[in-house]
Amino acid sequence: MNAGRGQMKLGAFLWATGHHIAAWRHPQAHVTAGIDIDHYIQLARTAEAAKFDMIFCEDAAGVREANVNIASQTSRSIGFEPISLLAALAVQTELIGLVSTASTSYNEPYGLARTFLSLDHLSGGRAGWNLVTSASQIEAANFGSTGLRPHADRYERAREFAAVVAGLWRGQGGYEDRSFSVRDPLDLPRSPQGAPVMVQAGASDEGRDLAARTADVVFTAAQTFEEAKAFYDDLKGRLAAHGRKPDDIKIMPGVAPVVAASEAEARAKHDELQELIPDDVGVALLSSYLSISDLSRYPIDGPLPQLPASEGMQSRQALVIEQSRRDNLSIRQLARHFAGARGHWRVVGTPAQIADELEARFEGGAADGFNVMPSYFPGELDAFATLVVPELQRRGLFRTDYEGSTLRDHLGLKRPA
Amino acid sequence: MANGATMCLAVSLSPEAAPSDPPDAGLDFSQLTRFVQEAEAAGLDMVLLGDSAPVAGGLNRQMRFEATTLVAALATVTSRIGLVAAASTVAHQPYNLARRFASLDIISHGRAGWNASMMPDPREAANFSRPEGFSGDDFRLRAEEFIGIVQGLWKGWDADALLFDKFGGRFFDPEKMHLLDHKGEYFSVRGPLNVARSPQDTPVLVMSGLSEPAMAIAARTADVVLLDEPSIEPAKAGDLKRRALAFGRRPEALKVLMNVTVSAAITAAPDLFADRLEECFRSKACDGFNIAMPFTSALDDFIGLVLPELRRRGLVQSGYSAATLRAHLGLAGEDRQ
């Protein structure tokens, strides 16, 4: 048994055919995932059998890629809308938490609070909301003609939005502020877990400040131990100012594992996926993460050009630029690297090697747990569940059974008053 | 296949129609599952699930679930019956609503429908950052544009757009994905939807709460129209069908259902209740009925006493002959281009 920081939390991040951009082309990937509910029910049951804290779904209210020729070479333009997906999974599982992303830019707090509370009732207290402010122009074009709001405005709205939702979940009504007005309390009974869990993913300064005020869980991207540790310490350090304790928030960076019985097999598996990425797809994906319309006009084997500050994902952009400088990568190399894990921490190796890496970040105080991003489904979720989870359990780093019945129970979070 | 000789039958729960405080307020999921599975076992076409926004001045029904999430869950415990959720044009953005229902339709394998009410609820506007509410015309015109966007988004992907060609690296055919590029008075929506085409072409559009000006919208766009009993007369249904024809639709492509509330009286005289439905149906006042149940046990009475009588008279099909809601209603292959 470990004598250190207790046990880590694990999320199973379900996305399309897999987190690797070329996942859908893998011979063992379930290519019709986006239209097959039974596939998702099976994934949810796999994650539940492995005692994951939660299933996590990200979301965008639009297709992912504006260039239709690029988009048509990936599987991410179609899929289930996550709230309906999780509502279906809620009654096909018993204990695992169900977290979906939803945007504060393209919803109203009353409707969002009510929908997640309904999901919470359907699941017996296992729902969570991952707050995002939405940074893509593609989404903005589906909601009016004014275009994307500036970063600071989005966060101003998000702060108000989160406060209204938290109040509604506590049974309050009667709000009138800059962005929203809500007259009545919700017309549904109180949540079985006090309130659905609040998750947040933005890592900019405004994002961290909002997380420190309202989030129960923070999902983040960090490549190195030092980045992860710096983020962790910064965010936990901001809690006191809001009257909160370090343990009130669980920080769960993403991890993109590629696991096999031997290291050589794991590397071969990873190389096989990387080979399936077309160059134009990789470069386009990198461009969209950097909020640059066209990186393809720069030499693919040359370095990343100087980039202007973006209104999109500021923290993500900084991460990409830092990595390209650190590792002296060409656009092609960076594109492949990012297309694979989307800027998240990738670990390739045996179950013991992956457990070592996770343990080091967890025991080193750089994470409370991890959001696991399998490269393709169902194979790589199965591999993590059957190879890595037992290794973590053997080391006492992960639960062998659920401690309670709600998502708050699993995460060790207080029930709100 | 319904061909005019058999009636469409929907059931719904309407606790607000109960004489006193509804005994079923706060039904849990297993009770609702039993209700829907019972309707499915009886071969009924669809269940209409209301959303619990309280009726102005009425009792708060304290339903525990929002209707679209409830339909997603019910879809996994049923296999044939249609599932229709009410969702407000005030509470949602058209892109989000189109997407939710497209997703429900894939989860249910083509059994989902959207019930769009054309009746503004001032209480709702006050909770959705519109304390000033809507003028009647404004609400209707906005709803009309909203519905057009939703139906357009539902057709953004051709049925054969997805190729799943791993070896060739072609997931979909770019020629078969269509932008909506809608720019209107109230909304601007580029599209496309990020959900695949419906297994039943598009989710079924049910419209209710129709004022006279809203009838034209229904005639042009709706698959099913719900009319209240007092307003029903043969002329109304005929008028709707004539208007549909004027919009280039086949009259069979629009089904008119009459809302009928089951009362305690059916246990005393199920024949008389069946007579009433038969007379209404044969006079072409409607294509079928939405039988509203004040409490779940009323379904037992309807299925046990009235349905066998309707079957004996050859007015209702026994069992399902197809897989999708559109097919149950005799709408498959009708005028959707």
Short mmCIF file of all heavy atoms in Angstrom, two decimals, chain A residues 376-417:
data_model
loop_
_atom_site.label_atom_id
_atom_site.label_comp_id
_atom_site.label_asym_id
_atom_site.label_seq_id
_atom_site.Cartn_x
_atom_site.Cartn_y
_atom_site.Cartn_z
N TYR A 376 -7.52 4.80 -29.42
CA TYR A 376 -8.67 4.35 -30.22
C TYR A 376 -9.57 3.46 -29.37
O TYR A 376 -9.13 2.88 -28.38
CB TYR A 376 -8.24 3.66 -31.53
CG TYR A 376 -7.48 2.36 -31.35
CD1 TYR A 376 -8.15 1.15 -31.20
CD2 TYR A 376 -6.09 2.35 -31.33
CE1 TYR A 376 -7.46 -0.03 -31.02
CE2 TYR A 376 -5.38 1.17 -31.16
CZ TYR A 376 -6.08 -0.02 -31.00
OH TYR A 376 -5.39 -1.18 -30.82
N PHE A 377 -10.84 3.40 -29.80
CA PHE A 377 -11.84 2.62 -29.04
C PHE A 377 -12.31 1.42 -29.87
O PHE A 377 -12.43 1.54 -31.08
CB PHE A 377 -13.05 3.49 -28.71
CG PHE A 377 -12.74 4.58 -27.74
CD1 PHE A 377 -12.71 5.91 -28.15
CD2 PHE A 377 -12.49 4.29 -26.40
CE1 PHE A 377 -12.43 6.92 -27.25
CE2 PHE A 377 -12.20 5.31 -25.50
CZ PHE A 377 -12.17 6.63 -25.93
N PRO A 378 -12.67 0.32 -29.22
CA PRO A 378 -12.61 0.12 -27.77
C PRO A 378 -11.25 -0.37 -27.27
O PRO A 378 -11.01 -0.36 -26.06
CB PRO A 378 -13.67 -0.96 -27.54
CG PRO A 378 -13.64 -1.78 -28.80
CD PRO A 378 -13.32 -0.82 -29.91
N GLY A 379 -10.35 -0.79 -28.19
CA GLY A 379 -9.15 -1.52 -27.82
C GLY A 379 -8.29 -0.87 -26.75
O GLY A 379 -7.85 -1.53 -25.80
N GLU A 380 -8.04 0.45 -26.89
CA GLU A 380 -7.10 1.07 -25.95
C GLU A 380 -7.73 1.40 -24.59
O GLU A 380 -7.02 1.55 -23.61
CB GLU A 380 -6.49 2.31 -26.59
CG GLU A 380 -5.47 1.97 -27.66
CD GLU A 380 -4.25 1.25 -27.08
OE1 GLU A 380 -3.30 1.93 -26.66
OE2 GLU A 380 -4.27 0.00 -27.03
N LEU A 381 -9.06 1.51 -24.54
CA LEU A 381 -9.70 1.62 -23.22
C LEU A 381 -9.63 0.27 -22.52
O LEU A 381 -9.31 0.17 -21.33
CB LEU A 381 -11.15 2.09 -23.34
CG LEU A 381 -11.92 2.18 -22.01
CD1 LEU A 381 -11.31 3.25 -21.09
CD2 LEU A 381 -13.40 2.46 -22.22
N ASP A 382 -9.91 -0.79 -23.29
CA ASP A 382 -9.81 -2.14 -22.74
C ASP A 382 -8.40 -2.39 -22.20
O ASP A 382 -8.22 -2.94 -21.11
CB ASP A 382 -10.09 -3.20 -23.83
CG ASP A 382 -11.55 -3.17 -24.30
OD1 ASP A 382 -12.39 -2.58 -23.58
OD2 ASP A 382 -11.83 -3.73 -25.37
N ALA A 383 -7.39 -1.97 -22.99
CA ALA A 383 -6.00 -2.22 -22.59
C ALA A 383 -5.68 -1.50 -21.28
O ALA A 383 -5.06 -2.07 -20.38
CB ALA A 383 -5.05 -1.78 -23.70
N PHE A 384 -6.12 -0.23 -21.16
CA PHE A 384 -5.86 0.51 -19.92
C PHE A 384 -6.58 -0.16 -18.75
O PHE A 384 -6.04 -0.31 -17.66
CB PHE A 384 -6.28 1.98 -20.06
CG PHE A 384 -5.78 2.84 -18.95
CD1 PHE A 384 -4.55 3.50 -19.06
CD2 PHE A 384 -6.50 2.99 -17.77
CE1 PHE A 384 -4.06 4.29 -18.02
CE2 PHE A 384 -6.02 3.77 -16.72
CZ PHE A 384 -4.80 4.42 -16.84
N ALA A 385 -7.84 -0.55 -19.00
CA ALA A 385 -8.66 -1.14 -17.93
C ALA A 385 -8.11 -2.48 -17.47
O ALA A 385 -8.14 -2.79 -16.27
CB ALA A 385 -10.10 -1.30 -18.41
N THR A 386 -7.59 -3.27 -18.39
CA THR A 386 -7.18 -4.62 -18.00
C THR A 386 -5.69 -4.72 -17.68
O THR A 386 -5.27 -5.67 -17.03
CB THR A 386 -7.51 -5.65 -19.11
OG1 THR A 386 -6.87 -5.23 -20.32
CG2 THR A 386 -9.00 -5.74 -19.34
N LEU A 387 -4.87 -3.75 -18.14
CA LEU A 387 -3.43 -3.83 -17.90
C LEU A 387 -2.95 -2.79 -16.87
O LEU A 387 -2.22 -3.13 -15.94
CB LEU A 387 -2.66 -3.64 -19.22
CG LEU A 387 -2.90 -4.70 -20.31
CD1 LEU A 387 -2.21 -4.29 -21.61
CD2 LEU A 387 -2.42 -6.07 -19.85
N VAL A 388 -3.36 -1.54 -17.04
CA VAL A 388 -2.82 -0.48 -16.18
C VAL A 388 -3.58 -0.39 -14.86
O VAL A 388 -2.97 -0.28 -13.79
CB VAL A 388 -2.82 0.88 -16.90
CG1 VAL A 388 -2.23 1.96 -16.00
CG2 VAL A 388 -2.04 0.80 -18.21
N VAL A 389 -4.91 -0.46 -14.91
CA VAL A 389 -5.70 -0.32 -13.68
C VAL A 389 -5.30 -1.38 -12.63
O VAL A 389 -5.05 -1.02 -11.47
CB VAL A 389 -7.22 -0.32 -13.97
CG1 VAL A 389 -8.03 -0.52 -12.69
CG2 VAL A 389 -7.62 0.99 -14.65
N PRO A 390 -5.17 -2.67 -13.01
CA PRO A 390 -4.77 -3.64 -11.99
C PRO A 390 -3.38 -3.34 -11.40
O PRO A 390 -3.15 -3.58 -10.20
CB PRO A 390 -4.73 -4.97 -12.77
CG PRO A 390 -5.66 -4.76 -13.92
CD PRO A 390 -5.52 -3.31 -14.29
N GLU A 391 -2.49 -2.79 -12.22
CA GLU A 391 -1.16 -2.43 -11.71
C GLU A 391 -1.27 -1.28 -10.69
O GLU A 391 -0.63 -1.30 -9.64
CB GLU A 391 -0.26 -2.04 -12.89
CG GLU A 391 1.14 -1.60 -12.53
CD GLU A 391 1.97 -2.69 -11.83
OE1 GLU A 391 1.67 -3.90 -12.02
OE2 GLU A 391 2.89 -2.32 -11.07
N LEU A 392 -2.11 -0.30 -11.00
CA LEU A 392 -2.33 0.80 -10.05
C LEU A 392 -2.98 0.29 -8.77
O LEU A 392 -2.63 0.72 -7.66
CB LEU A 392 -3.20 1.90 -10.69
CG LEU A 392 -2.59 2.65 -11.88
CD1 LEU A 392 -3.64 3.54 -12.55
CD2 LEU A 392 -1.40 3.52 -11.42
N GLN A 393 -3.91 -0.64 -8.92
CA GLN A 393 -4.59 -1.21 -7.74
C GLN A 393 -3.60 -1.99 -6.88
O GLN A 393 -3.61 -1.90 -5.66
CB GLN A 393 -5.75 -2.11 -8.19
CG GLN A 393 -6.92 -1.32 -8.76
CD GLN A 393 -7.96 -2.20 -9.44
OE1 GLN A 393 -7.63 -3.27 -9.98
NE2 GLN A 393 -9.22 -1.75 -9.44
N ARG A 394 -2.72 -2.75 -7.53
CA ARG A 394 -1.73 -3.54 -6.81
C ARG A 394 -0.83 -2.63 -5.96
O ARG A 394 -0.42 -2.98 -4.86
CB ARG A 394 -0.87 -4.32 -7.82
CG ARG A 394 -0.15 -5.53 -7.25
CD ARG A 394 0.74 -6.20 -8.32
NE ARG A 394 1.71 -5.29 -8.90
CZ ARG A 394 2.80 -4.82 -8.30
NH1 ARG A 394 3.06 -5.17 -7.06
NH2 ARG A 394 3.63 -4.00 -8.93
N ARG A 395 -0.57 -1.43 -6.50
CA ARG A 395 0.28 -0.48 -5.76
C ARG A 395 -0.52 0.34 -4.74
O ARG A 395 0.03 1.23 -4.10
CB ARG A 395 0.94 0.49 -6.75
CG ARG A 395 1.83 -0.21 -7.76
CD ARG A 395 2.47 0.80 -8.70
NE ARG A 395 3.20 0.14 -9.79
CZ ARG A 395 4.04 0.76 -10.61
NH1 ARG A 395 4.27 2.06 -10.46
NH2 ARG A 395 4.65 0.10 -11.57
N GLY A 396 -1.82 0.07 -4.66
CA GLY A 396 -2.65 0.82 -3.71
C GLY A 396 -2.96 2.24 -4.17
O GLY A 396 -3.41 3.07 -3.39
N LEU A 397 -2.73 2.50 -5.46
CA LEU A 397 -2.92 3.86 -5.98
C LEU A 397 -4.32 4.09 -6.54
O LEU A 397 -4.67 5.22 -6.87
CB LEU A 397 -1.90 4.14 -7.09
CG LEU A 397 -0.45 4.32 -6.62
CD1 LEU A 397 0.50 4.25 -7.82
CD2 LEU A 397 -0.29 5.65 -5.89
N PHE A 398 -5.10 3.03 -6.66
CA PHE A 398 -6.44 3.19 -7.22
C PHE A 398 -7.40 2.22 -6.54
O PHE A 398 -7.01 1.13 -6.13
CB PHE A 398 -6.42 2.96 -8.75
CG PHE A 398 -7.71 3.34 -9.42
CD1 PHE A 398 -8.19 4.65 -9.34
CD2 PHE A 398 -8.45 2.40 -10.13
CE1 PHE A 398 -9.40 5.01 -9.94
CE2 PHE A 398 -9.64 2.76 -10.75
CZ PHE A 398 -10.11 4.05 -10.66
N ARG A 399 -8.64 2.63 -6.43
CA ARG A 399 -9.65 1.85 -5.72
C ARG A 399 -9.89 0.48 -6.37
O ARG A 399 -9.70 0.32 -7.57
CB ARG A 399 -10.97 2.61 -5.67
CG ARG A 399 -11.66 2.73 -7.02
CD ARG A 399 -13.11 3.21 -6.90
NE ARG A 399 -13.24 4.57 -6.43
CZ ARG A 399 -13.12 5.66 -7.19
NH1 ARG A 399 -12.89 5.53 -8.48
NH2 ARG A 399 -13.25 6.86 -6.69
N THR A 400 -10.30 -0.49 -5.54
CA THR A 400 -10.72 -1.78 -6.08
C THR A 400 -12.24 -1.89 -6.08
O THR A 400 -12.80 -2.81 -6.64
CB THR A 400 -10.12 -2.94 -5.28
OG1 THR A 400 -10.42 -2.73 -3.90
CG2 THR A 400 -8.62 -3.00 -5.47
N ASP A 401 -12.90 -0.94 -5.37
CA ASP A 401 -14.36 -0.87 -5.48
C ASP A 401 -14.82 0.55 -5.17
O ASP A 401 -14.09 1.31 -4.54
CB ASP A 401 -15.04 -1.86 -4.53
CG ASP A 401 -16.40 -2.29 -5.08
OD1 ASP A 401 -16.89 -1.66 -6.06
OD2 ASP A 401 -16.98 -3.23 -4.53
N TYR A 402 -16.01 0.89 -5.66
CA TYR A 402 -16.54 2.23 -5.39
C TYR A 402 -16.85 2.40 -3.92
O TYR A 402 -17.36 1.50 -3.27
CB TYR A 402 -17.81 2.47 -6.22
CG TYR A 402 -17.53 2.64 -7.70
CD1 TYR A 402 -17.83 1.61 -8.60
CD2 TYR A 402 -16.99 3.82 -8.20
CE1 TYR A 402 -17.58 1.76 -9.97
CE2 TYR A 402 -16.74 3.97 -9.55
CZ TYR A 402 -17.04 2.95 -10.43
OH TYR A 402 -16.79 3.12 -11.77
N GLU A 403 -16.51 3.60 -3.40
CA GLU A 403 -16.73 3.89 -1.98
C GLU A 403 -18.18 4.27 -1.72
O GLU A 403 -18.66 4.15 -0.59
CB GLU A 403 -15.84 5.05 -1.54
CG GLU A 403 -14.34 4.82 -1.70
CD GLU A 403 -13.81 5.14 -3.10
OE1 GLU A 403 -14.62 5.51 -3.99
OE2 GLU A 403 -12.59 5.01 -3.31
N GLY A 404 -18.87 4.77 -2.72
CA GLY A 404 -20.24 5.23 -2.51
C GLY A 404 -21.02 5.12 -3.80
O GLY A 404 -20.62 4.37 -4.70
N SER A 405 -22.09 5.88 -3.93
CA SER A 405 -22.94 5.72 -5.11
C SER A 405 -23.03 6.97 -5.97
O SER A 405 -23.54 6.92 -7.08
CB SER A 405 -24.35 5.29 -4.69
OG SER A 405 -24.92 6.31 -3.88
N THR A 406 -22.52 8.10 -5.47
CA THR A 406 -22.60 9.33 -6.28
C THR A 406 -21.22 9.73 -6.78
O THR A 406 -20.20 9.28 -6.25
CB THR A 406 -23.19 10.51 -5.47
OG1 THR A 406 -22.23 10.92 -4.49
CG2 THR A 406 -24.49 10.14 -4.79
N LEU A 407 -21.21 10.62 -7.77
CA LEU A 407 -19.93 11.10 -8.28
C LEU A 407 -19.17 11.86 -7.19
O LEU A 407 -17.95 11.75 -7.07
CB LEU A 407 -20.16 11.98 -9.52
CG LEU A 407 -18.91 12.59 -10.15
CD1 LEU A 407 -17.85 11.54 -10.48
CD2 LEU A 407 -19.29 13.36 -11.41
N ARG A 408 -19.89 12.62 -6.37
CA ARG A 408 -19.22 13.31 -5.25
C ARG A 408 -18.59 12.33 -4.28
O ARG A 408 -17.49 12.57 -3.76
CB ARG A 408 -20.21 14.21 -4.49
CG ARG A 408 -20.44 15.51 -5.17
CD ARG A 408 -21.33 16.47 -4.40
NE ARG A 408 -21.63 17.56 -5.30
CZ ARG A 408 -20.80 18.59 -5.51
NH1 ARG A 408 -19.69 18.70 -4.82
NH2 ARG A 408 -21.11 19.51 -6.40
N ASP A 409 -19.27 11.20 -4.04
CA ASP A 409 -18.68 10.15 -3.19
C ASP A 409 -17.35 9.67 -3.79
O ASP A 409 -16.34 9.56 -3.10
CB ASP A 409 -19.61 8.93 -3.10
CG ASP A 409 -20.88 9.21 -2.30
OD1 ASP A 409 -20.89 10.19 -1.53
OD2 ASP A 409 -21.86 8.44 -2.46
N HIS A 410 -17.38 9.36 -5.10
CA HIS A 410 -16.17 8.82 -5.74
C HIS A 410 -15.01 9.81 -5.62
O HIS A 410 -13.88 9.42 -5.37
CB HIS A 410 -16.39 8.54 -7.23
CG HIS A 410 -17.57 7.68 -7.54
ND1 HIS A 410 -18.13 6.82 -6.61
CD2 HIS A 410 -18.29 7.52 -8.68
CE1 HIS A 410 -19.16 6.19 -7.18
NE2 HIS A 410 -19.28 6.60 -8.43
N LEU A 411 -15.31 11.07 -5.86
CA LEU A 411 -14.25 12.08 -5.92
C LEU A 411 -13.86 12.59 -4.54
O LEU A 411 -12.91 13.37 -4.40
CB LEU A 411 -14.69 13.26 -6.80
CG LEU A 411 -14.87 12.94 -8.29
CD1 LEU A 411 -15.54 14.11 -9.01
CD2 LEU A 411 -13.53 12.63 -8.95
N GLY A 412 -14.59 12.18 -3.52
CA GLY A 412 -14.32 12.67 -2.17
C GLY A 412 -14.62 14.14 -2.01
O GLY A 412 -13.90 14.87 -1.34
N LEU A 413 -15.69 14.59 -2.66
CA LEU A 413 -16.07 16.00 -2.60
C LEU A 413 -17.20 16.20 -1.60
O LEU A 413 -18.08 15.35 -1.45
CB LEU A 413 -16.55 16.47 -3.98
CG LEU A 413 -15.50 16.53 -5.08
CD1 LEU A 413 -16.18 16.72 -6.43
CD2 LEU A 413 -14.51 17.66 -4.81
N LYS A 414 -17.17 17.37 -0.95
CA LYS A 414 -18.24 17.71 -0.01
C LYS A 414 -19.55 17.90 -0.75
O LYS A 414 -19.59 18.35 -1.88
CB LYS A 414 -17.89 19.01 0.72
CG LYS A 414 -16.83 18.83 1.78
CD LYS A 414 -16.74 20.06 2.66
CE LYS A 414 -16.35 21.30 1.88
NZ LYS A 414 -15.14 21.96 2.32
N ARG A 415 -20.63 17.56 -0.07
CA ARG A 415 -21.96 17.83 -0.57
C ARG A 415 -22.27 19.30 -0.29
O ARG A 415 -22.16 19.74 0.84
CB ARG A 415 -22.91 16.96 0.25
CG ARG A 415 -24.15 16.52 -0.42
CD ARG A 415 -24.98 15.75 0.62
NE ARG A 415 -26.38 15.90 0.25
CZ ARG A 415 -26.98 15.05 -0.56
NH1 ARG A 415 -26.35 14.01 -1.03
NH2 ARG A 415 -28.24 15.25 -0.88
N PRO A 416 -22.64 20.07 -1.31
CA PRO A 416 -22.89 21.50 -1.04
C PRO A 416 -24.12 21.70 -0.16
O PRO A 416 -25.06 20.91 -0.21
CB PRO A 416 -23.10 22.10 -2.42
CG PRO A 416 -23.38 20.95 -3.32
CD PRO A 416 -22.85 19.71 -2.69
N ALA A 417 -24.07 22.75 0.65
CA ALA A 417 -25.19 23.04 1.57
C ALA A 417 -26.44 23.42 0.78
O ALA A 417 -26.35 23.99 -0.29
CB ALA A 417 -24.80 24.15 2.51
#
